[in-house]
Amino acid sequence: MNDHLKSFAEEFDDIVRSQGNQIALIDALHDKEYTYGEVANLLARFEALFHEHNLTKGDVVLCLVPNSVETLILFFAAAYHGMGFAPITTDAQHREVLSWAALVNPKLLIVADIASESCREAAAKVDVKSVVIKMDGDFNWLPPAREGNRKAHAAGRLYLTTSGSTGEPKAMVFSIDTLWRSAKAFLAAHPTASNDSRFYNFLPMSYLGGLFNLGLIPIASKGSVVVAESFSGRSFLDFWQNVERFEVNVLWLVPTIARGLLTLAERTGRHQLASINGAVKFGFIGTAPIDLETKNRFESTFGIPILENFALSETTFISSETLTNKDSRVAGSVGQRLPYVDIDFRPIAKADEDSEDFKSSEILVRTPFFFLGYLKHDGSIESPLDANGFMATGDVGHLDDEGRLIIEGRYRDIIKKGGYFIALLEIENLAKTNPSVEEVAAVKVSHNFYGEDSVLLVRFKPNSTINIDQFGQWLRQNLVKYKWPERILAVDEFPRTQSGKIRKHLIKI
């Protein structure tokens, strides 16, 4: 069989046969290690649990468990045994849990004993069997494995919640085997991520970051992954100590975390351990835009090359910087198109004839690693692909003469102000160059005269002495007048997703 077409179950069996004694997972919370062979034994015990509760292939397990080896191994078990896996964050509200359960129609609930009271109360109202598990890394709540040999099942599925355009949640549906093959294809572009790689998993396991980027990809590399609690403000303080303690050599960051580590280093000098004498080979960074100056400053401060990628949950990876091409990057670039991805562009309508043309286009993508679609309440799956198999990303950009993908902003972040098209990302990128600025968000607002305008929200660095009026004067000196925001506001914090992205739609003006 062509290796590229093997299932997760078949390839995991191959890895266990070849390196069953090699460490696969490290539980940072309880300081425990699990070899590939031990993980395989736990997958067999999960199969016994599924059988005990009369689950069959395709049935959905709803997971109310925080970042942990328990969650990650349960995800692997669903993939291995052909089940559906539907996680939701343990700080979800009562209504959110019930809505998620109604949408994915689970046959079994796995609930952590430390889940919030709201989560546990909601779980009790879902009319299916539930198992409350103790979060100690021992897995004593699992039954023993059943006797007999198991053959590879059909592909399991992953269900992830996402915000709908109406405010109601919807589910993205993935074939876990497709995610597995995407992981292998991505690693082919990064051959230095090999079986001696050790990743550090602190991204939320209710999203792809914790399950795909830092779950399937480390296993696909035949390496290992340190599993920690989901990243929070206190995680900054012991970040580099944990990197050293667990001998992590590949990082996966999001821009918020990268900026936070830089801020801490500048305040306290906590960067001496960052490169661990060169032990950290490199880091990936994605999920949200990061400006070139910050990337360069991170590399200069910590001595670790970071490689930006561009991806959507629906598509997985579209482009990526590599160690061989990162030195040629320019502002806005997110690396070269990956060889298995097709990119097309749909021009955005030009402005009025008496105004400046806006020449950018929306990025369309076609990949062999698409998700299956959006789950509807009637159980059907709706695909967003067009007749040619492309999906509109909602991102605006172009390929430059060197083949780099340049991201200019989100389509919805393009405003038409009095006949001028303005990319809000351009305003944000300029604002970020001010040395007093920590983070910014430019949001679209309606305007009685211009039709649309923008408001710029700024979070200044803690020790900054600049005030909002001084910053506004600086911005206007560096930006053409028709692009000036209607207002500039100082904020202490932004609403965020669990992975740290600013949630612009929740910003109230």
Side-chain angles (χ1 to χ4, degrees):
M1 177 182 290
N2 186 329
D3 281 351
H4 188 62
L5 298 179
K6 279 189 175 183
S7 68
F8 167 79
E10 292 168 315
E11 293 212 51
F12 187 81
D13 285 346
D14 289 344
I15 297 171
V16 172
R17 281 190 290 268
S18 65
Q19 54 184 59
N21 293 325
Q22 181 172 314
I23 295 171
L25 304 179
I26 298 169
D27 183 349
L29 299 177
H30 302 103
D31 207 14
K32 297 182 178 182
E33 296 179 345
Y34 305 82
T35 66
Y36 276 93
E38 288 168 335
V39 173
N41 290 334
L42 288 169
L43 299 190
R45 292 174 64 188
F46 266 108
E47 192 272 339
L49 179 73
F50 298 152
H51 178 79
E52 187 177 279
H53 290 279
N54 301 312
L55 270 66
T56 59
K57 285 183 285 187
D59 285 343
V60 175
V61 179
L62 193 155
C63 176
L64 285 160
V65 184
N67 272 36
S68 58
V69 292
E70 286 87 353
T71 298
L72 198 55
I73 295 177
L74 173 56
F75 170 58
F76 293 159
Y80 193 87
H81 297 295
M83 304 295 174
F85 179 70
I88 187 169
T89 177
T90 50
D91 59 4
Q93 296 301 309
H94 189 278
R95 175 190 58 81
E96 294 172 313
V97 175
L98 293 179
S99 296
W100 185 234
L103 183 58
V104 300
N105 190 27
K107 295 297 187 290
L108 179 67
L109 270 67
I110 306 290
V111 184
D113 60 351
I114 60 172
S116 70
E117 182 178 353
S118 177
C119 272
R120 286 184 279 112
E121 288 178 353
K125 292 184 178 180
V126 180
D127 190 22
V128 297
K129 295 178 180 178
S130 64
V131 177
V132 178
I133 68 172
K134 188 173 182 180
M135 303 297 296
D136 57 9
D138 286 339
F139 292 91
N140 290 331
W141 45 272
L142 279 175
R146 298 195 302 156
E147 295 184 2
N149 294 323
R150 184 207 63 82
K151 293 185 179 179
H153 282 306
R157 286 185 171 182
L158 172 63
Y159 299 81
L160 294 180
T161 182
T162 184
S163 298
S165 58
T166 64
E168 288 297 316
K170 58 182 179 180
M172 295 181 288
V173 187
F174 304 82
S175 161
I176 299 178
D177 279 353
T178 299
L179 289 175
W180 174 253
R181 292 164 189 152
S182 176
K184 294 194 67 178
F186 181 75
L187 287 168
H190 301 283
T192 48
S194 54
N195 64 359
D196 66 346
S197 295
R198 177 160 294 172
F199 296 76
Y200 187 17
N201 189 343
F202 49 76
L203 295 182
M205 291 185 185
S206 51
Y207 295 92
L208 277 185
L211 297 174
F212 172 62
N213 301 43
L214 287 168
L216 289 179
I217 285 180
I219 300 302
S221 75
K222 302 180 182 179
S224 57
V225 57
V226 177
V227 180
E229 63 182 357
S230 188
F231 203 91
S232 64
R234 65 178 179 271
S235 304
F236 286 114
L237 299 177
D238 58 5
F239 183 88
W240 295 117
Q241 286 84 348
N242 282 337
V243 167
E244 181 182 35
R245 174 188 172 195
F246 294 110
E247 299 180 334
V248 172
N249 56 28
V250 178
L251 300 178
W252 206 303
L253 305 171
V254 297
T256 300
I257 294 173
R259 285 191 290 266
L261 292 171
L262 276 170
T263 298
L264 186 64
E266 290 164 354
R267 281 196 210 166
T268 67
R270 285 179 181 261
H271 60 276
Q272 293 90 343
L273 296 176
S275 60
I276 319 299
N277 295 320
V280 179
K281 296 187 288 188
F282 60 91
F284 295 108
I285 192 164
T287 76
I290 182 168
D291 58 280
L292 180 59
E293 188 273 335
T294 300
K295 286 193 288 188
N296 290 339
R297 191 156 55 97
F298 187 96
E299 293 180 339
S300 174
T301 300
F302 299 119
I304 301 172
I306 58 170
L307 310 175
E308 187 174 5
N309 57 71
F310 174 57
L312 302 179
S313 295
E314 293 89 340
T315 65
T316 65
F317 299 105
I318 296 168
S319 69
S320 180
E321 297 175 338
T322 67
L323 288 174
T324 57
N325 67 28
K326 81 172 187 66
D327 291 335
S328 66
R329 62 194 179 194
V330 296
S333 69
V334 287
Q336 304 285 335
R337 173 187 63 84
L338 292 166
Y340 48 83
V341 174
D342 295 320
I343 295 179
D344 201 357
F345 298 92
R346 179 166 58 198
I348 297 173
K350 293 182 178 180
D352 298 336
E353 290 184 2
D354 59 350
S355 71
E356 186 178 282
D357 288 343
F358 189 83
K359 299 179 181 179
S360 296
S361 301
E362 183 179 11
I363 301 168
L364 308 181
V365 173
R366 183 169 59 195
T367 170
F369 306 122
F370 274 127
F371 77 142
L372 296 174
Y374 298 108
L375 181 67
K376 301 173 70 174
H377 280 280
D378 63 4
S380 62
I381 295 176
E382 181 179 43
S383 172
L385 307 187
D386 66 18
N388 296 316
F390 281 88
M391 176 181 160
T393 66
D395 290 280
V396 176
H398 65 277
L399 289 172
D400 70 8
D401 293 340
E402 302 298 323
R404 293 171 294 225
L405 182 60
I406 309 296
I407 304 296
E408 298 165 9
R410 291 288 292 169
Y411 187 18
R412 65 170 178 259
D413 285 344
I414 302 297
I415 65 170
K416 185 178 180 182
K417 179 180 178 180
Y420 291 99
F421 281 98
I422 302 170
L424 299 186
L425 185 62
E426 179 186 0
I427 301 173
E428 291 176 344
N429 285 342
L430 171 61
K432 290 174 186 176
T433 65
N434 186 293
S436 296
V437 169
E438 183 69 32
E439 281 185 301
V440 298
V443 296
K444 179 170 60 177
V445 294
S446 59
H447 193 280
N448 290 336
F449 180 74
Y450 293 121
E452 292 179 331
D453 207 335
S454 67
V455 172
L456 181 67
L457 296 99
V458 183
R459 184 166 75 89
F460 292 112
K461 292 180 178 178
N463 298 324
S464 170
T465 59
I466 194 173
N467 61 41
I468 198 70
D469 292 333
Q470 292 168 327
F471 174 78
Q473 183 179 6
W474 172 87
L475 187 79
R476 288 188 289 272
Q477 289 173 345
N478 289 277
L479 192 65
V480 64
K481 186 173 182 178
Y482 75 84
K483 296 181 181 179
W484 288 0
E486 179 192 39
R487 283 177 287 162
I488 303 174
L489 304 174
V491 298
D492 294 325
E493 190 51 86
F494 290 105
R496 302 182 186 279
T497 66
Q498 280 200 329
S499 60
K501 290 191 290 187
I502 295 174
R503 304 178 74 179
K504 285 190 177 184
H505 68 285
L506 294 182
I507 294 174
K508 306 298 183 184
I509 305 299

